[in-house]
Amino acid sequence: MMKKTRLSFSSLKIDEKDKKENKIPVHNTPHGYIKGPARQSAGGEYKKKITKSSTYQYTQKRFGKSSSSRPFGGKNQYKISSGKIPPPDKGVIRIIPLGGVEEIGKNMTAIEIGDDIILIDAGMHFSNELTPGVDYVIPNTTYLEERKDKIRALFITHGHLDHIGGVPLVLSRIGNPPVYSRNLSMLMMKKRQAEFPHLPALKENLVEKDSVVTCGKIKVRFFGVTHTIPDSMGVIIETEHGWIVNPGDYKLDQVDGVVSKEEEKEYSIFDKAKILLLMTDSTNIENEGFSLPEIKVHQGLENLIKKIPGRIIIAAFSSHITRLAHIVKVAEALGKKIAIDGRSMKTNIEVAIEAGFFAPKKGTIIPLEETNNYPPNKIVVLMTGAQGEEFAALNRAANKSNAKFSLHKGDTIILSASIVPGNELAVVKMRDGLSRQGVRVISYRTAGEDFVHATGHGNQEDVRWLHLKTHPKFFIPIHGNHYRLVLHKELAMELGMSEENIIVPDNGSIIEISADGKKMTMRKEQAPSGAMLVDGTSISDTQDVVIRDRQMLSQDGMFVIIALLDQKTGKLKKSPDLISRGFVYLKENQELLRQVRIIIKNGVENFTTKIPVSSHGGKVVDLDIIKANLGESISKFLYQKTAKRPLVIPVILSV
Ligand SMILES: [Zn+2]
Ligand SMILES: [Zn+2]
């Protein structure tokens, strides 16, 4: 996902030095740029000379309370307590999807039985246009924070970020319970945890797909599933009324609909078991047939690596470790060298080697800058950036900003990934850059037998197979937007499940299985589910004023007024400075600015000249009132003149 360029608000902070000198170095230039650092007061004891500025906008309608958009679901914001929700009654099994429904990403499910809560996955998703500038989003943990003493364990199905990305911050908020996963997922979590050195270490518990563990009174077992990352597993929770099954992300290892023996064996544990509830992935519920098996992609890539004469550059998801390992093995067998470009690609390959998934010979992997020392047909480069991400390796190669690597005519680029919805434009732009350099591009859409990409999620037939194999009594579709969950529900009903046995949840829905496992219902209360936005080192929600400001700025820009008030006379010392960013081009709007200056001057002076001079020889002026009046009148005026609602920031300095 592309990171948007940020408008630096940190530069709007006055520092101690400037405070002492009482110097506010703000300059207005005709084109609206600030020369030198723009500053605003830090308020507090400094109020006498300058007031803290606040912002005004003509109307709050679009972003205020009336907004009906629920970007991440959940009317509740994360600060709202869930303390009033009573614990589940005896014999009741409570299931709460805390993330991953109403969306694809930040998967997390809580299961509460008696005094025990166990969790499955703690993912993240990247920010989007609704959360400008935010680093990423994690599930709401309020319900868990208020029941920390009941939390026994977090189980991780596999090492993708939508399942592990929230782990460090989630764990730190819920009392750091023990974490259970298979080896590779644990290594990936440890890499991520290392980015948060101030947080307590992971309480690691390695399990294998045939392990059985007991957490509190709950017995949990696992089974292996096929996905694009090794060590993926499903989780089974044993209850007195049968098993709760969550396979995590999966597709079937099959060719032409014939499921492999290994896969059949993994799932055979369900043959005689009583399955109370299935909760499973809805990502590809719209896709007909079976998912293309990964083996076809391996064959396709192998064919291409054999027959392409020049250098080969393969851009893939760095998380598709199974595929990357296969590419390295094939290239090595053909006597080719591998270079790696992109931080996440390097990290993941290191982790996979550490976990023992493949062991390239010494010298097979070479530094990127040495690729030119070998003949073109001896080089395969693995890169990040198949989605056209602005700063990823392939895009830097496409726009010639990659210092260590440049493309040559005759190179072949293989885009071994589908385009994630929303990234289409970025990919088009990148492909333009690539084709200007005379390279050939093979994508998953290129016709032919050599497949270069397959999804990691099951299509309709994989999903059907799983339902039939697990024959559950109840079903909760997860991992998908609402409409996908509904399609998944329809598929389950097609297979004969009755509607009252299926619940399509929202994030925070509290679902209970009661009456000796005979009934599944949704409580009227909801666990808090507002998205928790991770922004630098802070966590906030979508209603946060910072995020709202960013949304406004991204729509209509900002308009800063700086006026210098003479406290003795109550008059402005000079014509006010005006700064605009992302609003209108000041140079071409001189008339508008002239009128704004008049409004400011009149607005301020009409107010201040009426104030009598005090015994100290100056006027006691409440700058906050002036600012509020100015903010309102200017934002209204700008809206009338331009039909735009910039964020207006009045700053009044009194001397
Ligand atoms: Zn996954
Ligand atoms: Zn996933």
Side-chain angles (χ1 to χ4, degrees), residues 107 158 160 162-163 227 249 457 479:
N107 296 287
H158 66 287
H160 283 159
D162 59 327
H163 299 256
H227 189 37
D249 292 354
H457 300 265
H479 210 315

Side-chain angles (χ1 to χ4, degrees), residues 111 113 115-119 150-155 177-180 205 207 212-222 235 237-238:
I111 313 250
I113 307 172
D115 287 329
D116 303 314
I117 295 177
I118 58 170
L119 305 167
K150 293 180 80 176
I151 302 172
R152 305 288 167 244
L154 166 64
F155 294 94
V179 181
Y180 293 79
N205 293 276
V207 292
V212 181
V213 298
T214 306
C215 304
K217 288 195 187 112
I218 305 177
K219 204 189 225 183
V220 182
R221 59 173 72 228
F222 315 101
V235 177
I237 294 144
E238 293 191 8

Side-chain angles (χ1 to χ4, degrees), residues 296 300 303 447-451:
K296 293 260 184 192
N303 293 344
E449 269 303 285
D450 296 328
F451 296 104

